[in-house]
Amino acid sequence: MAKSKEDIKKVVLAYSGGLDTSIIIPWLKENYNNCEVIAVSGDVGQGTELDGLEEKAIATGASKLYIEDLNKEFVEDFIWPTLKAGAVYENKYLLGTSFARPIIAKRIVEIAKAEGADAICHGCTGKGNDQVRFELTIKAFAPDMAIIAPWRTWEFKSREDEIAYAEAKNIPLKINRETNYSKDKNLWHLSHEGLDLENPANEPMYNKEGFLELGVSPEQAPDKPTYVKISFEKGVPVAIDDEKLDAVEIVKKLNKLGGENGIGIVDMVENRLVGMKARGVYETPGGTILYAAHAKLEEICLDRDTLHYKQNVANRFAELVYFGQWYTPLREALSAFVDSTQQTVTGDVTFKLYKGNIIDAGVTSPYSLYDEDIATFDEDEVYDQNDSAGFINLFGLPIKVQAKKKGL
């Protein structure tokens, strides 16, 4: 049974300290009988965005703030499985926000249960994908938990209204009306939405100071290329330039290298789950390099039929992640399939990074299926070219029969 406002005494809030969640704390207390608000921030690599968050949360009315370090789990349990699947939403989006939401929401549920909370609140809009990602995860781990989504019910109709409310309540914000892009940052990526980006005809201001945060535009990248070697074991990145690194450090190092060389900037109009199209700019420098390296290694390590079928799986996997269906039997089953394909995806990939481009510079694997003796254009003793005639006759038999039936 749904809880009434009077029944809700304690609320756990998914808290980022951004515009939406900053004003939600006083709004909840005003509209839910001065309920206790416990803020929870999942640290998935926001960096300095977490600075001063506890002081701000308490000052705006929260009773406490949890900051949960989820970085290692985020990379190993969410990013790596998605990378191994080769999952890319609509051929461009590397799912940076999408797979960060389930891990945060799951931890919020755990805290809400431990705190004996009556409800969980999030600041997602009724137009976006994140509301689905948060709430499907909540349903997966606390099916009877009440959910409060202020954007569906409150009086504010725009971010301008929110800023005015924050100013009236003396809530400090790191944005203003001129720089009011909607951004989401984590270890994997940074997204930009809103303002001039809402019109797809407008070119993003890549070279404007403060727009790009994880790197530079290709025009501003060095005139000299950077070489990088990435090593994989069973589909998982384990080293950069022969230096063994943990999962978090690998992403951080490749973000730095990619960012410096203008890698991983994507401008796209995507199809949101709720049905509308939305335009955004994404920065994913390290992720773009890792996806390219993983795909390059699979070129030599996977047989044709497995590789082609896996490409179909990748598309469905991407949809599941984008739609917030991480904690579902199908996603788990697809991950099991993907893991079975990765047993031989071990080796080294070398790239040349240059002004936004990732240029192949060599790939090796102890499990490579590439046989130079067979593939060569020179004389060989392992392949009888006469065999191809019989193969083509059998392979083309249905076409030949159909042509004859047409009287050709």
Side-chain angles (χ1 to χ4, degrees), residues 38-187:
I38 298 170
V40 179
S41 294
D43 179 1
V44 287
Q46 299 94 314
T48 57
E49 290 182 9
L50 299 172
D51 294 347
L53 217 54
E54 182 175 12
E55 180 182 356
K56 181 177 180 179
I58 301 300
T60 50
S63 63
K64 68 176 77 170
L65 170 68
Y66 288 87
I67 297 180
E68 302 293 293
D69 184 356
L70 304 173
N71 283 275
K72 184 174 184 292
E73 183 182 352
F74 178 42
V75 180
E76 294 180 348
D77 295 348
F78 291 80
I79 293 178
W80 283 175
T82 307
L83 169 68
K84 287 190 290 184
V88 181
Y89 186 69
E90 296 187 340
N91 299 314
K92 296 178 84 172
Y93 177 41
L94 298 185
L95 299 164
T97 299
S98 306
F99 48 33
R101 297 309 187 225
I103 184 175
I104 294 171
K106 181 174 181 287
R107 186 66 185 122
I108 288 170
V109 169
E110 292 167 352
I111 291 173
K113 288 181 175 180
E115 287 281 356
D118 303 304
I120 291 174
C121 179
H122 64 74
C124 308
T125 75
K127 290 184 176 180
N129 301 303
D130 281 345
Q131 58 181 335
V132 182
R133 297 163 185 158
F134 270 108
E135 294 187 29
L136 291 190
T137 301
I138 295 169
K139 292 179 187 300
F141 295 100
D144 296 324
M145 179 69 69
I147 298 172
I148 301 173
W151 260 107
R152 298 175 193 159
T153 60
W154 65 12
E155 62 273 26
F156 312 124
K157 303 302 179 185
S158 67
R159 289 173 69 81
E160 286 282 328
D161 291 345
E162 292 181 281
I163 292 174
Y165 180 84
E167 291 172 345
K169 296 291 183 181
N170 295 315
I171 299 172
L173 299 173
K174 294 182 180 180
I175 62 172
N176 57 46
R177 286 176 169 81
E178 288 71 40
T179 61
N180 186 21
Y181 286 107
S182 176
K183 295 190 177 188
D184 178 74
K185 182 180 181 180
N186 60 43
L187 187 65

Side-chain angles (χ1 to χ4, degrees), residues 85-88 91 298 304-320 330 334 337-338:
V88 181
N91 299 314
E298 285 192 328
R304 180 194 62 202
D305 289 349
T306 299
L307 179 64
H308 289 183
Y309 192 81
K310 186 173 176 290
Q311 289 169 346
N312 294 329
V313 169
N315 187 57
R316 187 69 182 100
F317 197 105
E319 288 181 338
L320 290 172
L330 179 55
L334 293 186
F337 164 77
V338 168

